[in-house]
């Protein structure tokens, strides 16, 4: 009886170690693929764009959907970052999807009016309910979306000016359903936890 228990324990330990080895190998393989991709992405193109800018002919029309709920301070930073985006204004529409129940809505309106007067196609949209919360606001906005691409930015996001140009630096074919960008953090170096 004791030998049987020992065999089961050894078998379990060996199985566990083999699973760990397979998992570690997958991590190594993934890291190698990542570095291969980074190396190929870092190669200069054979024909540099004129004036250091990519050709703008292939850039699609976009809608930026900005879901917001009771974030008066965060939304100001987001709208300032969105206003600084280096993307053709005739191909960009910004929709602030505001479900706020506090003074965030007033703050948004104060920020949106000057941006609209400055040439940014931006709307401040409020629902009469919060059904579905953030997902509900995004789903409702999709019903009236007119652009082929939707970019979702949360209230605490701060995209750099070239973010959209980098995201759409090449045309995507019809097989691409979505693209996710890497996140960065404003407070990345502030503490051990954020590092």
């Amino acid at each position: 009886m004791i030998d049987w228990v020992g065999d089961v324990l050894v078998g379990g330990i060996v199985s566990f170690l083999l699973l760990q080895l397979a998992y570690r190998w997958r991590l190594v393989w993934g890291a190698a693929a990542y570095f291969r991709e980074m190396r190929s992405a870092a190669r200069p193109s054979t024909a540099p764009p004129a004036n250091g800018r990519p050709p703008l002919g292939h850039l699609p029309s976009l809608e930026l959907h900005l879901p917001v709920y009771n974030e008066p301070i965060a939304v100001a930073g987001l709208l300032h970052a969105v206003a600084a985006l280096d993307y053709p204004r005739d191909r960009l529409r910004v929709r602030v999807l505001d479900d706020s129940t506090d003074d965030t809505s007033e703050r948004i309106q104060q920020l949106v009016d000057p941006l609209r007067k400055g040439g940014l196609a931006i709307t401040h949209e409020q629902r009469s309910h919060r059904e579905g919360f953030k997902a509900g606001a995004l789903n409702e906005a999709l019903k009236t979306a007119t652009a082929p691409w939707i970019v979702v930015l949360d209230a605490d996001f701060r995209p750099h000016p070239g973010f959209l140009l980098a995201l759409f630096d090449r045309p995507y074919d019809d097989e691409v359903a979505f693209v996710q960008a890497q996140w960065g953090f404003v407070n990345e170096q502030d503490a051990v936890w954020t590092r």
Side-chain angles (χ1 to χ4, degrees):
M1 182 76 168
I2 302 285
D3 290 336
W4 178 80
V5 172
D7 289 345
V8 169
L9 285 173
V10 168
I13 291 170
V14 168
S15 297
F16 175 76
L17 291 174
L18 287 174
L19 286 172
Q20 284 290 318
L21 182 63
Y23 176 73
R24 303 278 181 216
W25 176 251
R26 186 172 177 270
L27 288 177
V28 168
W29 183 260
Y34 170 78
F35 286 115
R36 276 194 307 270
E37 179 69 24
M38 292 304 293
R39 193 173 33 228
S40 68
R43 290 187 191 126
S45 65
T46 54
N51 301 328
R53 296 187 60 151
L56 302 180
H58 75 278
L59 293 175
S61 294
L62 304 177
E63 279 190 19
L64 268 61
H65 290 188
L66 315 177
V68 177
Y69 176 69
N70 293 352
E71 301 167 283
I73 297 171
V75 76
L78 171 63
L79 290 178
H80 288 303
V82 165
L85 287 171
D86 186 17
Y87 201 81
R89 291 292 191 238
D90 62 331
R91 298 179 203 175
L92 183 64
R93 178 180 176 206
V94 180
R95 298 174 68 185
V96 183
L97 311 175
D98 179 20
D99 278 355
S100 298
T101 57
D102 65 359
D103 62 343
T104 300
S105 299
E106 295 168 17
R107 180 74 176 129
I108 291 171
Q109 199 57 49
Q110 292 170 354
L111 295 164
V112 164
D113 288 339
L115 295 177
R116 190 179 301 121
K117 289 175 185 168
L120 183 63
I122 185 168
T123 58
H124 178 202
E125 303 173 23
Q126 295 177 280
R127 300 189 299 163
S128 60
H129 58 83
R130 290 203 62 231
E131 187 176 316
F133 305 105
K134 177 179 175 179
L138 290 168
N139 283 334
E140 198 157 315
L142 279 177
K143 293 176 186 176
T144 56
T146 57
W149 286 95
I150 308 298
V151 177
V152 178
L153 300 174
D154 282 342
D156 57 348
F157 284 17
R158 303 294 178 269
H160 61 83
F163 168 71
L164 292 175
L165 289 177
L167 194 61
F168 293 95
D169 66 342
R170 63 190 169 285
Y172 295 104
D173 60 31
D174 292 338
E175 299 294 318
V176 177
F178 68 91
V179 178
Q180 181 171 345
Q182 182 178 1
W183 290 7
F185 300 93
V186 175
N187 65 340
E188 185 174 359
Q189 298 300 319
D190 289 355
V192 173
W193 178 256
T194 58
R195 278 194 293 274

